[in-house]
Amino acid sequence: AAIAQEDATYRSTVLRVGPAGATVELESMPAFLPWSHWRLTPEERADKSKLIGSALDVKVLEANAANDRLVVSNRRVKVENRLGQLAPGQVRHRRSLRLESTFLPKVCLP
C-alpha cells in the first residue's frame, strides 16, 4: 500500500475505543491505534469513551492490504516533533524519575 511507504503525518478521527486500542478513520479507511502508541492524560484514561470523535495526528506503522490491516501511531508523531526541536550542542535539563535497563539482568548487591 502506498500509504505505508510515505512518511507523512495524517489527521485522523477516533471512531471507537476498545480494550486494546482505538479505531480511527484515516483517509476514509479504518485504522487501529494501539494504546501503547497513544499517550493519554489521566483524565482521558479515566473515560476513554470521551475520545470518540476527537481529531488526532498519526503516522502509519503497518499497512497490509492482503490482511486488510492498517496500524497507526500518535506516539511516533510526538517523538518526531520533539526531535525536531533539538539542535546540535543544545543542552536540555529534565528530571528523571527512574533509570533502569531492560537489557541487563537485575543484580542485587550486598
Side-chain angles (χ1 to χ4, degrees):
I3 196 169
Q5 295 179 1
E6 298 175 16
D7 188 29
T9 299
Y10 297 93
R11 193 74 166 164
S12 67
T13 303
V14 179
L15 301 175
R16 58 189 162 270
V17 296
T23 301
V24 299
E25 181 181 18
L26 175 70
E27 302 283 313
S28 301
M29 297 178 290
F32 178 65
L33 173 61
W35 293 128
S36 62
H37 281 270
W38 188 5
R39 183 171 298 187
L40 300 174
T41 65
E43 294 81 24
E44 292 169 329
R45 243 181 269 124
D47 188 3
K48 292 177 183 166
S49 65
K50 290 183 179 179
L51 299 170
I52 297 172
S54 62
L56 186 67
D57 289 332
V58 296
K59 285 189 174 274
V60 175
L61 291 179
E62 177 187 346
N64 186 328
N67 293 339
D68 205 21
R69 179 177 166 99
L70 184 58
V71 181
V72 296
S73 171
N74 173 257
R75 182 177 69 183
R76 191 166 154 219
V77 172
K78 290 182 177 184
V79 166
E80 287 184 7
N81 287 342
R82 294 201 85 181
L83 287 175
Q85 296 171 0
L86 296 176
Q90 183 180 24
V91 176
R92 300 285 251 188
H93 297 280
R94 296 286 185 250
R95 182 176 154 210
S96 296
L97 299 177
R98 179 177 67 204
L99 296 175
E100 64 181 58
S101 172
T102 56
F103 301 108
L104 299 175
K106 293 183 180 180
V107 177
C108 296
L109 299 175

